[in-house]
């Protein structure tokens, strides 16, 4: 049979194991902070887009002439955080203008990737982390979908209610 390790060998092993655990924890914390920092930029991009849609929504509500128009706009905003345009032509114009304006205000991708952060939903690339796709549904509903650092769609309600601190890029 083999002998038990000496007390000094056990102590040395405990110190080495402790240092490995501490190093692993420090690296995990550093990686988490980095991902959270990038995620904050992606969240801020979606929030800015939703704010723009909300502003359009408020302006359109103040100009609506019938209760039916107001109800359609309210339903689109409250149910989907989207803007109900008056026509498909107006919706296309809003999408193009919004994408152009946001890309001018925020010319770099929130995660530091090449290309813009704001794209048309129809032109969304296969890999789309840290992007916001702005598109049209049902012919006249302008909506936005933000994607996090992994390319997973974010929740418009949560992101609009709990505004991010700011864009990191």
């Amino acid at each position: 049979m083999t002998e038990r390790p000496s007390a000094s060998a056990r102590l040395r092993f405990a110190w080495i194991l402790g240092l490995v655990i501490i190093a692993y924890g420090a690296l995990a914390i550093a990686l988490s902070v980095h991902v959270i920092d990038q995620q904050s930029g992606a969240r801020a991009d979606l929030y800015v887009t939703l704010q723009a849609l909300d502003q359009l929504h408020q302006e359109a509500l103040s100009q609506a002439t019938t209760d039916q128009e107001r109800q359609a706009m309210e339903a689109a905003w409250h149910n989907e955080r989207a803007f109900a345009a008056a026509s498909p032509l107006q919706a296309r114009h809003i999408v193009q203008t919004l994408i152009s304006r946001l890309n001018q205000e925020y010319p770099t991708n929130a995660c530091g990737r090449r290309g813009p952060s704001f794209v048309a939903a129809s032109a969304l690339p296969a890999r789309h982390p840290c992007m916001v796709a702005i598109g049209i549904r049902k012919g006249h509903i302008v909506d936005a979908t933000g994607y996090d650092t992994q390319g997973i769609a974010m929740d418009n309600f949560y992101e609009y209610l709990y505004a991010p601190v700011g864009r990191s890029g």
Side-chain angles (χ1 to χ4, degrees), residues 45-95:
D45 284 353
L46 177 58
Y47 183 74
V48 165
T49 306
L50 293 174
Q51 276 187 317
L53 288 176
D54 185 35
Q55 183 179 356
L56 288 170
H57 170 75
Q58 296 301 325
E59 290 170 5
L61 273 179
S62 69
Q63 297 172 3
T65 56
T66 67
D67 283 340
Q68 186 177 6
E69 283 180 297
R70 280 188 201 89
Q71 288 174 351
M73 288 180 220
E74 286 293 337
W77 181 251
H78 287 294
N79 296 336
E80 307 166 39
R81 289 297 186 250
F83 174 70
S87 68
L89 181 63
Q90 182 190 30
R92 280 193 302 275
H93 178 70
I94 289 171
V95 167

Side-chain angles (χ1 to χ4, degrees), residues 77-154:
W77 181 251
H78 287 294
N79 296 336
E80 307 166 39
R81 289 297 186 250
F83 174 70
S87 68
L89 181 63
Q90 182 190 30
R92 280 193 302 275
H93 178 70
I94 289 171
V95 167
Q96 292 167 352
T97 304
L98 197 56
I99 290 170
S100 175
R101 190 188 94 206
L102 291 171
N103 279 324
Q104 285 176 355
E105 288 180 32
Y106 303 97
T108 59
N109 186 285
C111 294
R113 300 183 195 289
R114 282 189 281 146
S117 288
F118 306 93
V119 297
S122 59
L124 189 66
R127 292 193 31 82
H128 45 263
C130 301
M131 294 184 121
V132 176
I134 303 170
I136 301 169
R137 285 182 300 101
K138 299 178 187 173
H140 69 285
I141 305 289
V142 178
D143 71 346
T145 304
Y147 296 93
D148 66 11
T149 56
Q150 303 298 312
I152 299 169
M154 293 185 276

